Amino acid sequence: MPLLDIVTRRPWPAVLRGEQGLRQLGRALRERHARAPRAPRPAGYLDWELSGSRTPLIDLCQLTWAIAPISLRPFTEFGFRTEPDRLRRIEGLCEAYGVDPDIVLLAAPGCMREAARSLEKRSASGAAELRETIDWYLGWLKR
């Protein structure tokens, strides 16, 4: 099964917790975008419905957010024994994709705010948790 399709499973298989998996994910998303940058996205590793207008940057931000992981959930839920080096994970994924990680680090909060607005419009229960996670992320960025 492709790695892009198993990011939502918990705990993650060992490959997703390591450098090799990050690089595979970055390359796989880049290849998907090269084939069809604005094509409808299949169900799978991310909730493609979180924001209305999909772009490669939004996809990359969302994948980066997921794989870091940027989450209020304990890191052990993802299969890590110790807290992951989130910045290194983001950098590895972005490097494999071929984009400067700073672009994604700075764009991610806006992308996730848009996702929270979309969830609120649909009365989805995850919007409050997503907003709380955004606040945590912004604090993490300032470290």
Side-chain angles (χ1 to χ4, degrees):
M1 176 178 286
L3 289 180
L4 286 174
D5 296 331
I6 59 176
V7 172
T8 58
R9 293 184 183 184
R10 304 240 174 40
W12 288 338
V15 68
L16 281 182
R17 296 187 309 266
E19 188 73 23
Q20 179 184 3
L22 291 172
R23 294 194 174 280
Q24 287 177 1
L25 283 170
R27 287 188 300 269
L29 187 60
R30 182 186 65 223
E31 290 167 8
R32 182 178 281 176
H33 288 155
R35 285 191 307 271
R38 293 190 177 266
R41 306 297 196 257
Y45 75 98
L46 300 171
D47 181 357
W48 297 114
E49 302 303 317
L50 280 179
S51 60
S53 175
R54 300 303 307 186
T55 66
L57 180 59
I58 290 171
D59 289 350
L60 183 59
C61 286
Q62 196 172 359
L63 179 58
T64 301
W65 190 281
I67 202 65
I70 303 301
S71 176
L72 299 177
R73 301 172 195 274
F75 56 82
T76 54
E77 184 177 313
F78 298 90
F80 293 100
R81 291 191 178 120
T82 59
E83 187 168 355
D85 183 342
R86 290 177 176 91
L87 183 57
R88 183 199 58 75
R89 292 179 62 76
I90 290 168
E91 290 170 342
L93 179 76
C94 289
E95 183 179 297
Y97 184 90
V99 69
D100 183 338
D102 287 340
I103 292 169
V104 175
L105 286 166
L106 296 174
C111 293
M112 294 304 109
R113 282 189 188 102
E114 179 60 32
R117 283 191 292 275
S118 177
L119 284 172
E120 286 170 345
K121 287 178 186 174
R122 296 185 327 208
S123 299
S125 60
E129 182 179 341
L130 182 54
R131 288 197 183 283
E132 194 174 336
T133 304
I134 292 167
D135 291 342
W136 178 89
Y137 176 76
L138 292 172
W140 174 79
L141 275 178
K142 290 178 185 175
R143 293 193 290 169

